[in-house]
Amino acid sequence: MERNQFLLFLSFLFSTIATILGIAILVSGSSLARFSSGTGGSLFQASEIGAVVIPIVGEIHSGESTFESTGADTVLRQLRELEEDGNVKGILLEINSPGGTVAASQEIFNELIHLRKTKKIVVSMKDVAASGGYYIAAASDYIFAENGTITGSIGVISFAPNVKGLLDRYGVAVRTYKAGKYKDMYSPFRDSTNEEDDMIGKQLQDTYRKFVEDVAKGRNKTVKSIEELAEGKIYSGEDAFRNKLVDDIGGRREAHKKLSELCQYEGLIPLFEQEYSPFERMIRSLGVKFLGEGSQTAKVRALLQAQVLVILPTALGKLML
């Protein structure tokens, strides 16, 4: 009995801590972090000429960014604030993402295309910059990838689980009440009809065509040339360079130098990056331990319950040394 009471107390204690940490993370994430110099200078000030580093990491989705994913609302807010600052001459996008949802990737792409009229944008690809990650990269003036970067995967996938066979095996039936013939089109409890498959196929083709057209627009290429490289194919950085999906091989150092040239800055233009206070770093670090598993479970649950249309590679591996 005492042991059960002790375990109950621990469960309550951890739940309370997780709730407090979750609120703290939301509060700390709601304000735009300061930008500090990434080259050893002082805190970024409006009177100082420079460029800003914006990371695109993890899953790309709507809403706010987290410590492990990129939220379109957060990125759009940052880009719009930078647009109004005449002393910010360029943006260095550091992308390490396998992709994400269609609308979120499109929003960031469109904002970057607009911003490219007044700012110079250079991309530095890390381990992975595929699908939605490549979609965003295509809106820049210049793209660098490492030899071992995985990129490309220009394609769209829509999926829903089908557990009908499992339910039939155990004699479980699910009753569905609906108003609208296609309201349960993505239901996991029945097979889809040919008509529904055609509708989903058209949706995918429309989105895929827009993806290809946007990449062609951002890269100043013909739609036909991008179509030949699309179809979900993935490329190493070196292969992407040969196929002109990226402009050069290199990392941050090379991207920084190129951005300085495009901004017509003598020497290396100062880079400013988001800076988190020690308290924010501690909260985020603890948040991974206490909230990470729960947040991932919530994402999976939401994924299974709703129609999903994502820009993600169907299969993607990292090159390991």
Side-chain angles (χ1 to χ4, degrees):
M1 177 66 75
E2 291 181 358
R3 182 174 180 274
N4 290 338
Q5 289 178 338
F6 178 70
L7 291 176
L8 183 62
F9 170 75
L10 285 180
S11 178
F12 174 77
L13 178 63
F14 283 125
S15 296
T16 302
I17 293 174
T19 301
I20 294 173
L21 290 174
I23 294 172
I25 289 172
L26 290 175
V27 171
S28 66
S30 63
S31 60
L32 186 64
R34 292 177 298 167
F35 284 99
S36 64
S37 174
T39 53
S42 59
L43 288 178
F44 178 62
Q45 315 220 337
S47 60
E48 203 172 344
I49 298 294
V52 171
V53 179
I54 294 183
I56 305 292
V57 297
E59 174 198 353
I60 301 164
H61 55 82
S62 297
E64 301 296 330
S65 296
T66 70
F67 48 80
E68 58 182 5
S69 66
T70 296
D73 290 355
T74 300
V75 176
L76 293 176
R77 183 168 60 249
Q78 292 173 338
L79 294 177
R80 287 163 185 165
E81 289 184 6
L82 296 177
E83 180 182 12
E84 298 173 359
D85 194 329
N87 289 311
V88 175
K89 301 301 181 182
I91 296 171
L92 175 58
L93 288 175
E94 293 194 321
I95 302 179
N96 193 16
S97 168
T101 61
V102 173
S105 303
Q106 288 175 336
E107 273 195 305
I108 298 174
F109 172 88
N110 289 331
E111 191 65 26
L112 289 170
I113 288 291
H114 170 74
L115 198 58
R116 206 164 79 173
K117 299 173 184 175
T118 56
K119 313 286 185 185
K120 298 302 180 183
I121 304 171
V122 173
V123 165
S124 173
M125 293 180 170
K126 305 304 181 184
D127 291 331
V128 182
S131 213
Y134 184 77
Y135 202 147
I136 291 172
S140 66
D141 294 292
Y142 209 87
I143 301 175
F144 283 91
E146 296 288 3
N147 295 86
T149 297
I150 298 297
T151 189
S153 190
I154 302 172
V156 185
I157 180 172
S158 181
F159 57 90
N162 186 339
V163 297
K164 181 179 180 299
L166 180 64
L167 296 180
D168 289 344
R169 179 177 178 180
Y170 290 98
V172 178
V174 176
R175 291 180 294 177
T176 300
Y177 305 95
K178 60 182 179 179
K181 181 180 178 181
Y182 305 105
K183 189 61 179 175
D184 66 336
M185 188 165 65
Y186 277 82
S187 172
F189 306 121
R190 66 173 179 84
D191 295 325
S192 59
T193 66
N194 291 335
E195 187 179 5
E196 289 169 341
D197 289 341
D198 290 341
M199 293 173 64
I200 295 171
K202 183 179 184 305
Q203 184 184 28
L204 290 171
Q205 285 302 315
D206 288 345
T207 307
Y208 175 66
R209 185 178 66 252
K210 178 63 175 172
F211 191 174
V212 171
E213 289 173 352
D214 280 348
V215 169
K217 174 184 177 181
R219 296 291 294 159
N220 296 315
K221 306 289 184 184
T222 64
V223 171
K224 183 178 180 180
S225 68
I226 299 301
E227 284 177 336
E228 294 173 353
L229 300 171
E231 298 293 342
K233 300 173 186 174
I234 60 173
Y235 303 87
S236 67
E238 192 170 350
D239 203 17
F241 173 61
R242 284 194 293 265
N243 285 285
K244 304 188 186 312
L245 286 174
V246 305
D247 298 294
D248 211 340
I249 298 297
R252 174 183 275 221
R253 184 186 301 275
E254 291 77 15
H256 187 188
K257 181 179 179 181
K258 185 64 180 182
L259 183 59
S260 302
E261 293 174 2
L262 293 178
C263 293
Q264 298 181 338
Y265 189 90
E266 187 175 347
L268 291 177
I269 192 168
L271 288 179
F272 302 99
E273 302 182 63
Q274 280 189 317
E275 179 187 73
Y276 295 103
S277 69
F279 174 74
E280 287 172 322
R281 290 181 182 277
M282 179 190 72
I283 290 296
R284 287 170 180 268
S285 175
L286 291 174
V288 172
K289 296 177 183 177
F290 288 112
L291 302 177
E293 184 177 351
S295 63
Q296 289 300 323
T297 302
K299 288 179 184 177
V300 172
R301 186 181 299 114
L303 199 65
L304 297 178
Q305 290 177 346
Q307 171 183 340
V308 178
L309 182 62
V310 296
I311 300 180
L312 279 169
T314 53
L316 183 62
K318 291 184 180 180
L319 299 183
M320 305 295 290
L321 294 178

